[in-house]
Amino acid sequence: MDSRLPPISLVYHGFGRFRDHINDHSDGPMPAHLPDFEKAVTKFMSAMCAYYYDHEDRGITARECLNEIWKSYLGEQEFDEIKHGIIGPDGSSDGFTIGSANTMEVIVVVKNELGTTDCDGSVELAAYYTQSLESNTSQKSRKRFLFPALGILVVGAHVGFYALSFTKSTRLVALTPLLPAVIERGNEWATPALMRALEASCILRYHISKDTAEFMADRLPHPPQGDLPYINEVPTHPPSETLRFEIKVEAYQGKDFRYENRFIYGAKDKNKDWVVVKFTQKYCLPLHLFCAEKKHAPRVLGYGFVHGGWHVIVMEWIANVDREYYASKYLPRWSKDLKELVDGFHEEGFVHGDLRDANLIVPKKNPEQIMLLDFDWGGEAKSGAVYYPTARLNADLMLGENPKHLEITVTRDNLALDNTLRKMNTEIEMDED
C-alpha cells in the first residue's frame, strides 16, 4: 500500500463517520427501531459464541443475524439483504450486497474459529472486492470514484470491520480490531463496543449506498477519488462565510522533505491562488493566531472539523527559501525575534512543544521575517498540563529532561529553542570554515 495516501477517513466521509460513531460523537441516522436493534445485536453475539461444525453453518447464521440488525436500524426503505453467492471461479464470499454501480457495497467473510484457517480473511475481503470492481466497472469510472465498501470479517466469536476503496489498486484498512462477542459476567465492555461498531456499520452502509447512487446518476459534484482528501470547504477564519478550495497536490514542509505523519496539501481557492491545507488530530489554533498576529506564522484563512476527528487548517501559502542561504545575514535578528515570540506566548500561558529548526521557514519575499510552523502539540498550559502525544521524541526535544517525563513546559520550550539557535549558528561557522 502506498504510504503517501491520506488516512482513510480523509478520502471518504463515510469512513470518518464510522470512526466518529464508535468514538461516540456521530450525527448519523438514528435506529428505526432501537429496542429491536439491541435485541438483534444481542442475538448475533450469542449466536457467534455457539459451536458450529464448519464455517458455512456459522456463515448462514451470521448473515441472518446481520440482516436482522440492519433491518432494525435502517428500516425497510434503506435495507438490502446480504446474499450468499459465487463471486468467481476461485471462490465465494459468505455474503455480500450489490449496489447501484453493480458492485459489492458490503462483503462478509466468515471463518469458523481463530487459528483454524489457512487463509487470512482480510485478504479474501480485498480479493472479492477487487474482482467485483474489475468485472463491473470501467477503468475510467475507477479513476473518477473510489467505490467505497464495507468489509465484515467474522472469525469464531470475533467480528472486525474494514474499509475498502479503490485508488489505482484496492485499499483495505481496518476500522476496528477483532471485537469479541463473548460476554464475561461482570465485565461487559464487549457489548457496547460491538454494538457501537454495528451501529456505525449501518451508518456507513447508508452513506455508501447513497453516494454511489448519486455518482452513478452523475449528481455527485465532487466524487471522492482516494489519492487526495475529499474536503473542499471549511468556515473562514474568523467565521463569516464558507472558504472553498480544491486540493491539488501533497505539500512538503521544507525542501522536498516528507514527514509520513503530517498531512499537508497544496490547494487553490476560488481566485486560483495557492493555499495550504493541513489535517491533524490535534491543533492549538490560539497559539497559531498569536504567532500570525506577530507576523511570525502564516495567516489562518479557514478552520473547521471533518468526520474522523480531523482539524482542518487552511493558511496562506508562503514561498520559502533555504534558511542556510540567509542565516549569516539574518541570524541575529531571527534569534531576537524568536526569543521575543516564545517569551510572548509563554507569558500568555501557551507552550509550543516542538521548537526545532524543522519547524522554521524563511519567506522568500521577506527573508528577515522568520516564521514558526506546526502548532499540533501546542496548548494552553495555564488551563492545565500539556503533554506530548508520544514518548518517541526527537533527541532535540529531550535536552535536560527525564525521557519519561512527557509534559510540555516553558523550560522544555526554551531548551529546544536554545538548541535550535545554537545549531543554526554552528552551521554558519562551518560554512565560513
Side-chain angles (χ1 to χ4, degrees):
M1 178 55 62
D2 190 343
S3 63
R4 291 172 294 182
L5 292 176
I8 198 69
S9 54
L10 290 181
V11 300
Y12 180 58
H13 70 94
F15 298 140
R17 290 175 188 270
F18 184 102
R19 287 183 167 160
D20 280 348
H21 197 81
I22 60 176
N23 290 325
D24 203 21
H25 49 91
S26 173
D27 59 356
M30 293 299 293
H33 305 286
L34 182 57
D36 291 344
F37 172 78
E38 293 186 355
K39 182 179 178 181
V41 172
T42 302
K43 177 182 176 181
F44 173 62
M45 294 177 69
S46 178
M48 291 302 99
C49 291
Y51 170 79
Y52 294 88
Y53 179 74
D54 58 28
H55 84 278
E56 290 186 2
D57 289 342
R58 184 181 291 275
I60 291 170
T61 304
R63 284 197 306 277
E64 292 174 351
C65 290
L66 288 171
N67 282 332
E68 190 174 340
I69 287 169
W70 282 325
K71 182 177 181 179
S72 65
Y73 197 98
L74 296 172
E76 298 286 352
Q77 298 300 316
E78 304 292 346
F79 175 65
D80 183 23
E81 284 196 349
I82 299 174
K83 302 175 180 64
H84 177 266
I86 301 299
I87 304 299
D90 298 326
S92 65
S93 76
D94 295 291
F96 64 91
T97 65
I98 296 295
S100 54
N102 202 32
T103 59
M104 289 188 291
E105 293 183 347
V106 178
I107 309 169
V108 180
V109 168
V110 178
K111 302 295 180 183
N112 202 22
E113 296 293 343
L114 282 169
T116 60
T117 177
D118 58 358
C119 182
D120 185 343
S122 62
V123 174
E124 291 187 36
L125 287 171
Y128 297 142
Y129 171 82
T130 304
Q131 191 167 351
S132 172
L133 278 190
E134 291 180 347
S135 300
N136 298 291
T137 63
S138 66
Q139 189 174 12
K140 181 179 179 181
S141 65
R142 293 195 295 272
K143 288 182 178 179
R144 295 182 55 231
F145 190 53
L146 50 74
F147 292 98
L150 166 65
I152 299 178
L153 175 60
V154 179
V155 185
H158 295 77
V159 188
F161 299 82
Y162 293 81
L164 287 149
S165 64
F166 192 89
T167 307
K168 297 180 182 177
S169 61
T170 293
R171 185 179 184 188
L172 175 80
V173 177
L175 294 171
T176 69
L178 284 176
L179 299 171
V182 179
I183 303 172
E184 179 189 5
R185 292 180 61 191
N187 185 20
E188 297 185 358
W189 68 269
T191 301
L194 186 52
M195 189 167 295
R196 293 206 67 80
L198 285 164
E199 286 179 346
S201 73
C202 295
I203 294 169
L204 178 53
R205 275 201 67 182
Y206 169 82
H207 287 287
I208 288 174
S209 178
K210 178 176 178 291
D211 291 338
T212 303
E214 292 285 304
F215 171 75
M216 295 305 295
D218 204 23
R219 293 195 300 263
L220 202 60
H222 303 286
Q225 298 174 0
D227 54 344
L228 293 171
Y230 71 88
I231 295 90
N232 55 33
E233 62 180 37
V234 293
T236 56
H237 190 85
S240 60
E241 56 183 316
T242 299
L243 173 63
R244 293 183 172 83
F245 52 86
E246 183 179 358
I247 294 176
K248 296 288 189 180
V249 66
E250 185 179 14
Y252 299 91
Q253 185 168 308
K255 186 178 180 181
D256 298 331
F257 190 84
R258 182 175 178 275
Y259 295 88
E260 285 195 3
N261 292 317
R262 288 183 182 173
F263 307 105
I264 307 172
Y265 300 87
K268 288 200 171 182
D269 63 14
K270 64 180 181 180
N271 298 319
K272 305 300 181 183
D273 293 326
W274 282 101
V275 295
V276 174
V277 183
K278 178 172 183 172
F279 300 91
T280 178
Q281 291 280 312
K282 181 179 180 294
Y283 204 72
C284 187
L285 180 64
L287 178 56
H288 186 158
L289 295 174
F290 177 92
C291 295
E293 185 180 355
K294 304 295 183 182
K295 309 297 183 185
H296 287 297
R299 288 184 300 116
V300 177
L301 306 175
Y303 183 79
F305 300 89
V306 294
H307 295 290
W310 293 97
H311 300 244
V312 186
I313 308 95
V314 182
M315 62 193 93
E316 65 176 326
W317 182 286
I318 303 291
N320 59 88
V321 294
D322 287 343
R323 190 177 58 246
E324 292 81 2
Y325 184 80
Y326 287 99
S328 60
K329 182 176 182 180
Y330 291 117
L331 183 57
R333 174 169 175 173
W334 295 345
S335 299
K336 176 177 177 294
D337 288 350
L338 286 170
K339 288 179 179 179
E340 289 179 354
L341 178 71
V342 173
D343 286 344
F345 64 65
H346 283 165
E347 289 176 6
E348 294 294 319
F350 295 105
V351 288
H352 185 278
D354 197 2
L355 294 172
R356 294 176 297 127
D357 57 348
N359 292 322
L360 299 173
I361 62 169
V362 176
K364 185 176 182 180
K365 288 186 177 180
N366 300 295
E368 72 280 2
Q369 195 80 12
I370 198 163
M371 288 197 171
L372 178 62
L373 305 173
D374 200 1
F375 302 93
D376 301 30
W377 291 352
E380 296 186 56
K382 63 183 179 183
S383 301
V386 181
Y387 293 93
Y388 287 108
T390 176
R392 298 175 61 189
L393 298 174
N394 186 286
D396 290 343
L397 300 177
M398 304 296 290
L399 301 172
E401 293 287 339
N402 183 340
K404 296 181 180 179
H405 180 55
L406 296 181
E407 184 178 354
I408 302 173
T409 62
V410 169
T411 299
R412 205 162 198 165
D413 266 358
N414 288 333
L415 286 170
L417 178 61
D418 289 345
N419 181 63
T420 293
L421 296 176
R422 186 164 53 250
K423 286 175 63 177
M424 292 165 64
N425 189 62
T426 300
E427 290 171 357
I428 295 174
E429 293 174 350
M430 291 176 64
D431 288 342
E432 290 176 348
D433 291 342

